[in-house]
Amino acid sequence: MLRRDEIRIRDPFVVPVHGEGLYYLYGTTDENVWEGTGAGFDVFRSRDLESWEGPFPAFRPEQGFWADRHFWAPEVHLYEGRYYMFASFKAEDRCRGTQILAADSPLGPFVPLTEGPVTPAEWECLDGTLYRDEEGAPWMVFCREWLQVHDGEMYAVRLTRDLQGTEGEPLLLFRASEAPWTRHAREETDYVTDGPFLHRTESGELVMLWSSIGDKGYAIGLARSASGRIEGPWVHDADRLLEEDGGHGMLFRTFEGEWMLTIHEPNRTPNERPVFYPVKELRAAGLL
């Protein structure tokens, strides 16, 4: 067993499986996340969020897999009875994109649904996340990278029911510089979009957690859909949910019914660890 503070991981994502009484923890787990050949993704499991079994190999690329580096930020969602992984991949001669993989078990093995990403082939993209709208239709929210467009963009695109393709063109939700708390990353025109996660509050409000660079470094902000639908328009909170040295957050509910925010912290390789913060909805429209 491993203690939580012994697990090095970026972009943590937790899936509670009630029938087993187990939490499954996924994330960016390669030894060298920035350079070199990507190995795959590991998964850990726990009953109490502190002691973890693993790692278990959730995904290992087969020969001929299109990507060879930057295996980043796997999310796993239970959809129509199967587990689907949304993850970012990159190759020297191909743009970074979100690939969708599937498995019958949260342990995997996850295998690609299609031969390539579902994000546009000519766009540098990452951090796709699954969202189901009011009619139950699947969407993917994803980032178009600031490395390509400078002012990072957030998009939503409708997926086919089998998650093997898209329907219609991606819809621009917002640009990173529109949030009052973001600061430029490198040049004055460079603003980061990173790590979107959608959540419907008890009051019915649709909110998005997402990460960028703020006054004190890597941070998490909140955007709110004024229409309550994925199409927006999206309005940004002036205050950050988390203001420094940690990010790429998501929310999950414990078996006791408590909402938890998980992030990696600190935002320094190789010291990243999964951290869990209790979260409460303290007013009709807000997560604090």
Side-chain angles (χ1 to χ4, degrees), residues 113-251:
L113 281 180
T114 58
E115 293 184 357
V118 291
T119 45
E122 69 278 11
W123 290 9
E124 293 285 350
C125 302
L126 76 170
D127 294 350
T129 187
L130 178 65
Y131 170 73
R132 299 188 76 172
D133 66 17
E134 295 75 11
E135 291 76 41
W139 293 70
M140 183 175 68
V141 175
F142 66 95
C143 303
R144 188 174 185 188
E145 280 197 277
W146 64 277
L147 293 171
Q148 185 178 52
V149 296
H150 294 288
D151 194 355
E153 297 169 337
M154 193 72 72
Y155 283 88
V157 65
R158 188 159 177 167
L159 299 174
T160 57
R161 284 284 180 177
D162 61 8
L163 306 186
Q164 294 190 34
T166 61
E167 296 181 350
E169 296 299 315
L171 173 66
L172 178 63
L173 304 183
F174 58 83
R175 293 181 174 87
S177 65
E178 295 173 20
W181 58 271
T182 55
R183 300 295 181 263
H184 63 81
R186 190 168 58 189
E187 303 296 332
E188 290 189 1
T189 56
D190 294 339
Y191 290 83
V192 174
T193 45
D194 197 35
F197 181 81
L198 284 297
H199 173 70
R200 181 78 65 179
T201 70
E202 291 183 5
S203 65
E205 186 177 32
L206 181 62
V207 300
M208 182 192 302
L209 284 70
W210 66 287
S211 296
S212 188
I213 307 300
D215 289 330
K216 298 181 179 180
Y218 199 42
I220 297 178
L222 274 177
R224 306 173 190 272
S225 172
S227 67
R229 299 183 63 88
I230 192 64
E231 295 90 340
W234 289 86
V235 181
H236 298 275
D237 283 11
D239 295 329
R240 287 147 291 180
L241 186 65
L242 184 82
E243 67 177 359
E244 64 178 309
D245 205 24
H248 203 111
M250 61 85 64
L251 295 169

Side-chain angles (χ1 to χ4, degrees), residues 243-284:
E243 67 177 359
E244 64 178 309
D245 205 24
H248 203 111
M250 61 85 64
L251 295 169
F252 68 95
R253 199 165 219 162
T254 68
F255 297 130
E256 294 72 38
E258 182 177 34
W259 283 106
M260 285 282 185
L261 168 70
T262 183
I263 63 169
H264 68 252
E265 187 181 82
N267 190 42
R268 296 188 299 274
T269 301
N271 301 318
E272 309 96 322
R273 298 294 184 270
V275 179
F276 306 108
Y277 292 111
V279 175
K280 292 184 179 180
E281 298 176 19
L282 297 183
R283 58 181 189 268

